[in-house]
Amino acid sequence: MPRRSERVLRGARGTYARALYRACGFTPEDLRRPLIAVVNSWADFVPGHSHLRELAAQVKEGVRAAGGTPVEFNTPAPCDGLAQGVGMHYVLPLRDLIAASVELMVEAHQLDGMVCLCTCDKIVPGMLMAAARLNLPTVFVTGGVMPPYQGTRGEGKGPGGTWRVASDVKEAMGAFQAGRISAEQLREIEATACPASGGCNMMGTASTMCAVTEALGLSLPGNATAGATTDALREMAYRAGEQVLELLRAGATCQHFLTAEALENAARLALAIGGSTNLVLHLPAIAAEVGLELPLAWFDQLSRTTPLLAQFKPASPYTITHFDAAGGVRAVLYELKRGGLLHSRCPTVAGPSLGNLAARLEKKDEGPANAYEIVRPFEQPLSPEGGLAVLYGNLAPEGAVVKQSAVAPSMLTHLGPARVFDSEEEVWDRLWEGKIEPGEVLVIRYEGPRGGPGMRELSLPAAVLVGRGLDDRVAMVTDGRYSGATRGPCIGHVTPEAAVGGPLATVEEGDRIHLDIPQRRLEVELTETEIEKRLAHWQPPPPKKTQGFLALYAKMVAGADRGARWSG
């Protein structure tokens, strides 16, 4: 059976295509080899992606050495941190746009396989969606983490001194506004927290999705936690280029790896490390590409039976660099395997099965001596349950999500009066002015996939709450979402969202809201009759966008409980 690229290039019919390739410097010998898409997401202003040109060069060398011809193109690469506020409307929609752009480019040119280079929050899941959809031989190279800043003072004391990462900047903003740190301290944190290229060195969505990719068996062992500027990562990039040719020769396409068992492995891994709540948006969207459904209840069931084995900044002093030194993803998979919670026979693009790659690393020479404190033994977890919980009740009939591993014990249950805001801007202004009282529940609505539109993450308001020292006294509830690194009682993904007539639309100032994470409940103290009465008088707000991509997106996007997948 001819390769896909041969349909375009061989014989007299391929003359025109070959002529165009020659214009770019490709030789006849190049065009007789398999054409491998090097799908890059380089962007010179996004820290997680500003170094990917160098990694792509290594991938291309590996492809050539293994007998293929690399053909490189770029996708968009949004940065959630840079897009905070107004720009955040556009970031989640870009996930689906990235998936479509990869699909269209690869199909248009009938390429034979792919190596996908990506690091950050929406780019990794977007490329995973595309890889599942295309079902070609595919290897992922995730771009590694930026080094943490190590000093001798300031926020975030950890092993060996002070470790500072991007999430410390957001929390410092709230601390400064509350008068808890000086302007000089704020400037120092700004200047040191992000010292070089790489993904944010905390357990945010980027780190979570890179770990998920490794647990799915689609990247090489150790890739998820490798340093962005290390020789080890450059070597992995070269090997990935070689390995995609091995997959092509073996006929091993993406769906060979992306199975129901692999998705369960990936979810348990993320739950065991206190991963991002955005997992429950991205994994269902990826699963849908292979005809599988992952409802919210599935995540909650897994979380109840998966122990929390590790925590990282901002929920602990440790960084992803410490995680790498303690064995990274393979160390956690090893503990899950010991506990009987790993589908060990799942294949990986590296060759060995996932169970064979899982290994407890006692200590790297440059790593911390207390590696077992970073990745706990299965019998001695940090908590018997995983990092996420799904809540239900008359305020969230179809579910809501919280990162329970990052909530103070005193706030696992809470009863307080609602303060109601119809946008992120409204709650941000109130927080910045210091007009939030202990005990309150901040309700932020019309920020869901349709109402936003685009389901903004309320990362900065949540971090300012922490910086003001209110994360153990104030809860937040929204139909929007949060950063993977958010901590505190921040409940997001409330469905149905307010913009489509969900109960969140009926909440009024002073209504008492009851949060009970252990019992998985989110309730407003209103009778069903009162909720129905209020909904009968409710009018949907006018759409925030009436033209452009977001207007179309709002008409076509699914709810957060179904991964906010754009069905257009």
Side-chain angles (χ1 to χ4, degrees), residues 151-417:
T152 57
R153 61 188 177 89
E155 297 288 330
K157 269 208 174 298
T162 297
W163 298 94
R164 188 173 291 154
V165 300
S167 58
D168 293 314
V169 180
K170 294 185 287 186
E171 295 182 5
M173 292 165 65
F176 169 71
Q177 194 64 15
R180 300 173 69 197
I181 64 173
S182 67
E184 180 184 356
Q185 288 174 303
L186 182 63
R187 283 192 296 270
E188 190 227 352
I189 292 169
E190 174 190 341
T192 59
C194 301
S197 295
C200 295
N201 204 322
M202 59 194 184
M203 189 46 70
T205 305
S207 294
T208 300
M209 294 310 300
C210 291
V212 160
T213 304
E214 187 175 331
L216 287 170
L218 290 172
S219 62
L220 296 178
N223 189 177
T225 55
T229 57
T230 60
D231 289 340
L233 186 57
R234 286 187 283 271
E235 173 62 22
M236 286 181 202
Y238 182 91
R239 287 171 52 211
E242 292 182 311
Q243 200 63 25
V244 72
L245 271 300
E246 290 297 317
L247 298 181
L248 181 64
R249 294 179 185 113
T253 62
C254 186
Q255 291 183 21
H256 176 68
F257 305 96
L258 200 54
T259 62
E261 292 78 12
L263 288 163
E264 182 178 323
N265 284 340
R268 285 199 188 273
L269 179 280
L271 293 166
I273 60 177
S276 168
T277 51
N278 287 313
L279 174 77
V280 304
L281 287 177
H282 299 323
L283 213 57
I286 295 162
E289 300 292 348
V290 294
L292 297 173
E293 184 177 352
L294 304 182
L296 287 179
W298 180 82
F299 287 95
D300 195 60
Q301 179 185 16
L302 291 184
S303 192
R304 288 179 183 272
T305 57
T306 303
L308 182 69
L309 300 176
Q311 278 189 300
F312 303 96
K313 274 184 145 302
S316 89
Y318 297 112
T319 69
I320 305 303
T321 299
H322 293 111
F323 186 23
D324 185 64
V329 168
R330 287 168 292 174
V332 179
L333 294 176
Y334 176 74
E335 296 301 332
L336 294 175
K337 178 183 176 182
R338 289 182 57 247
L341 297 182
L342 187 73
H343 295 286
S344 295
R345 294 183 179 179
C346 285
T348 74
V349 296
S353 70
L354 195 71
N356 285 339
L357 290 176
R360 166 59 94 162
L361 181 63
E362 293 284 349
K363 178 182 178 297
K364 283 188 176 180
D365 290 341
E366 71 277 16
N370 54 343
Y372 275 89
E373 287 301 309
I374 296 174
V375 177
R376 299 295 294 271
F378 188 86
E379 303 84 359
Q380 300 173 35
L382 296 166
S383 170
E385 291 191 0
L388 303 183
V390 179
L391 315 181
Y392 296 93
N394 65 359
L395 203 53
E398 295 173 8
V401 182
V402 63
K403 190 172 183 176
Q404 64 175 345
S405 60
V407 179
S410 62
M411 289 297 289
L412 290 173
T413 60
H414 181 71
L415 178 64

Side-chain angles (χ1 to χ4, degrees), residues 68-151:
T69 296
V71 289
E72 182 181 0
F73 67 88
N74 265 69
T75 72
C79 174
D80 286 53
L82 292 172
Q84 292 295 323
V86 175
M88 187 60 74
H89 288 293
Y90 297 87
V91 171
L92 183 57
L94 268 165
R95 178 197 68 181
D96 296 68
L97 187 62
I98 289 164
S101 71
V102 176
E103 173 198 2
L104 294 172
M105 280 291 289
V106 171
E107 289 287 60
H109 301 97
Q110 290 293 288
L111 304 177
D112 299 308
M114 297 194 298
V115 178
C116 295
L117 292 100
C118 47
T119 307
C120 291
D121 301 28
K122 306 306 173 295
I123 304 94
V124 177
M127 288 194 184
L128 283 167
M129 291 166 67
R133 193 178 301 172
L134 288 163
N135 194 29
L136 296 173
T138 303
V139 180
F140 275 72
V141 177
T142 55
V145 294
M146 69 172 66
Y149 169 76
Q150 183 178 14

